[in-house]
Amino acid sequence: MKFLLIMVLFCSSILFYSCENNSYEIQLPQKVDGSLNILEQDLFEVIENGSRLIYEFEVSSKNELIKFESSIVDNQLHSSLSYKYEESEWIGLSSFCVDLLDKDYKKGMNLVVAEQGNFLKRQYDYPKIERIANILDGLPELLFRKLGKEEYFNESTLSVFYHLAAFNAAKRAHETKSEKCQCSIYNSYVNNESPFFCAEDKIVSVDKAYDFVKKISDNRRFAGKQFNPKTLLHYLENESGKFVSVSKIDKIFKDEAKYFWDKELTREERIKVYNQNNTLSMVSRLKSANSETYDGWPVDPSCFLFGVSAGSDCGCCGNYSGPCWTCSLACYLHDLSCETCEPSWYCFSGCVPSPC
C-alpha cells in the first residue's frame, strides 16, 4: 500500500499523462529565483550623453551567475551577457552592437536576434539554452523594481531583451527541431510601444489566456470527445493575475493537443474530424506538404481546436490573405487579446489599447 501511494504521488508530481508512457511528459516553465546586484549604474535620459549599466544576477539554488554589461558611446549600443558556474571562468554567451543613429535599426532587429539565436543553438545543447532562458526571463521585472521607470526605459537597460529573445528563439528551434531560429517582427517594438520581443514571445495576461483555453476546452468536441488541457489550465490557474510569455503556454498547449490527437482519438475518429474540418486551408497544406515526411494529418492539430481557416482569422500566423498555413495559441492570443498596455515593465507610454 505504501509503495502504491508513493508511485501515485510520483506520477502526479511530474505531471505525466501516463506512468506507462513518459514520451508525453508536460514540462512546465521553471521560475529561477535569485538576487540582482547593480555593479555600475550611469544611465541618462538623453542618449547622446551616453550611458552604462553593469549588474550580476546570482541564482539562489545553485552557484550560478549571470553578468550583464551594456553601454552607449557615440550612439553605439554595446551589450553583452556572460555566465559563470561554480568555479568556472566567465563564459561569453551573447553580444549585440547596435547603431542607434540608424533610423531603421528596429525594423531589422528580429533578423539580428535570430542570427544570434542560430549561434547559440550551434554552441549549446537544449538544457543549457533552456536554463539560461529561464534565468533571463525574470530579469526585466527585477530591473524595473530596482531602477525605477525612468532609468529602466533606457536603451542600455532594455538591451537585455535582445539576449532573452535570442535564447528563446534558440530554445524554440530546439523544441520544434527547426534548423534555423525564427524571430518574427513585433510591431509594438518597431512602433516604440514596448521593449524588444520576437512576436512568438509576446507577453499576455494569464487570466485572459486561461479564459480562452477554458472556453476552447468547454465548447469543442471532436468525434464526441472533449479536449481538456488540464495541465495548462492548472498552471494558468496558479499564475492568475500575472503576465507570461505566450511561447511558454503555447508549448504546453501544443503538447497536450498532440497527446489528445495521437492518444485520445482513434485513427477512424481522426479521419472523421479531418473530414468535418476539410477547409481550403487544410487542402492547401496537404497539397504543399512534403510527401516523404508528412503523414496526411494536420501539421498542427490546434488548427482544428481554433477553427482557423483563412489567413485573416484570429489564430493564423504569418499570412493575412488566402488560406491559413500555420496556427498556434501564440498567434490566437496575440490576435484575440485587447492590448491593455500592461504590465508597466513591458509597455511604453505611447502604447494605445487596440482589439483583435
Side-chain angles (χ1 to χ4, degrees):
M1 184 68 180
K2 186 175 181 181
F3 174 77
L4 178 60
L5 178 61
I6 292 173
M7 286 303 295
V8 170
L9 291 173
F10 175 75
C11 289
S12 62
S13 66
I14 54 181
L15 296 171
F16 279 177
Y17 275 108
S18 168
C19 292
E20 298 174 357
N21 182 3
N22 60 13
S23 62
Y24 282 95
E25 180 185 356
I26 305 300
Q27 296 286 348
L28 296 181
Q30 299 296 313
K31 181 180 179 181
V32 180
D33 294 320
S35 57
L36 185 68
N37 182 26
I38 304 294
L39 302 180
E40 188 172 338
Q41 178 182 341
D42 193 10
L43 300 168
F44 295 87
E45 184 177 352
V46 181
I47 291 177
E48 286 77 3
N49 291 339
S51 64
R52 184 169 181 81
L53 178 65
I54 303 176
Y55 60 83
E56 289 180 354
F57 178 80
E58 184 175 5
V59 178
S60 298
S61 59
K62 295 184 179 180
N63 190 6
E64 291 177 280
L65 283 170
I66 287 285
K67 178 185 284 186
F68 172 88
E69 299 180 71
S70 181
S71 64
I72 297 175
V73 179
D74 296 330
N75 287 290
Q76 300 294 312
L77 169 67
H78 300 273
S79 182
S80 63
L81 193 71
S82 303
Y83 174 77
K84 181 181 174 69
Y85 181 77
E86 292 183 346
E87 302 302 322
S88 73
E89 299 293 328
W90 283 105
I91 302 169
L93 295 175
S94 54
S95 63
F96 290 89
C97 182
V98 181
D99 182 4
L100 300 178
L101 287 178
D102 182 357
K103 295 181 180 180
D104 294 325
Y105 80 87
K106 289 193 173 185
K107 295 180 180 179
M109 277 306 299
N110 65 305
L111 300 178
V112 176
V113 167
E115 187 55 41
Q116 185 68 230
N118 289 331
F119 168 78
L120 294 171
K121 184 173 178 288
R122 292 191 299 268
Q123 292 290 112
Y124 305 106
D125 60 13
Y126 178 77
K128 177 63 71 176
I129 287 175
E130 182 185 38
R131 178 64 178 173
I132 301 299
N134 286 339
I135 293 174
L136 295 179
D137 189 61
L139 292 185
E141 189 169 1
L142 289 176
L143 285 168
F144 184 81
R145 293 175 181 176
K146 194 93 168 179
L147 298 175
K149 187 173 182 179
E150 289 187 8
E151 293 191 324
Y152 175 80
F153 287 118
N154 178 288
E155 292 287 351
S156 287
T157 308
L158 296 179
S159 64
V160 69
F161 284 92
Y162 300 140
H163 301 278
L164 172 59
F167 273 93
N168 280 336
K171 179 173 173 283
R172 287 195 309 273
H174 272 294
E175 291 170 345
T176 59
K177 296 179 173 57
S178 301
E179 182 180 351
K180 297 291 185 180
C181 294
Q182 298 296 318
C183 179
S184 303
I185 292 177
Y186 183 45
N187 288 329
S188 291
Y189 165 74
V190 177
N191 296 333
N192 297 314
E193 295 172 352
S194 86
F196 182 87
F197 284 90
C198 300
E200 294 85 350
D201 299 314
K202 73 158 297 199
I203 300 296
V204 296
S205 162
V206 166
D207 294 336
K208 288 185 178 180
Y210 178 89
D211 290 342
F212 171 64
V213 174
K214 188 70 166 62
K215 182 179 178 180
I216 286 181
S217 63
D218 288 344
N219 297 338
R220 301 287 189 186
R221 294 292 187 278
F222 301 91
K225 295 181 178 179
Q226 181 183 9
F227 169 64
N228 182 19
K230 55 185 179 181
T231 302
L232 176 56
L233 288 172
H234 180 70
Y235 168 73
L236 294 174
E237 203 168 27
N238 288 339
E239 298 295 311
S240 179
K242 299 179 182 179
F243 295 83
V244 66
S245 170
V246 72
S247 61
K248 290 185 176 182
I249 55 179
D250 193 35
K251 175 66 166 57
I252 306 172
F253 185 85
K254 284 183 180 294
D255 286 345
E256 292 197 277
K258 180 172 175 54
Y259 178 87
F260 174 77
W261 182 259
D262 291 345
K263 299 298 181 181
E264 297 293 332
L265 299 179
T266 65
R267 180 176 177 82
E268 291 71 23
E269 288 172 334
R270 291 197 293 269
I271 292 173
K272 182 178 180 181
V273 172
Y274 173 74
N275 289 336
Q276 292 173 343
N277 295 270
N278 191 12
T279 62
L280 176 62
S281 169
M282 295 303 174
V283 172
S284 300
R285 289 165 64 181
L286 281 169
K287 289 181 179 179
S288 65
N290 185 329
S291 60
E292 294 181 359
T293 59
Y294 192 59
D295 62 5
W297 301 113
V299 175
D300 183 357
S302 59
C303 290
F304 287 155
L305 297 171
F306 301 144
V308 172
S309 175
S312 57
D313 290 344
C314 282
C316 183
C317 306
N319 61 301
Y320 295 93
S321 61
C324 180
W325 295 95
T326 306
C327 51
S328 72
L329 179 62
C331 295
Y332 209 110
L333 288 174
H334 174 273
D335 295 339
L336 185 70
S337 65
C338 174
E339 299 293 337
T340 57
C341 301
E342 295 179 346
S344 55
W345 56 265
Y346 171 76
C347 298
F348 291 159
S349 58
C351 178
V352 178
S354 59
C356 171

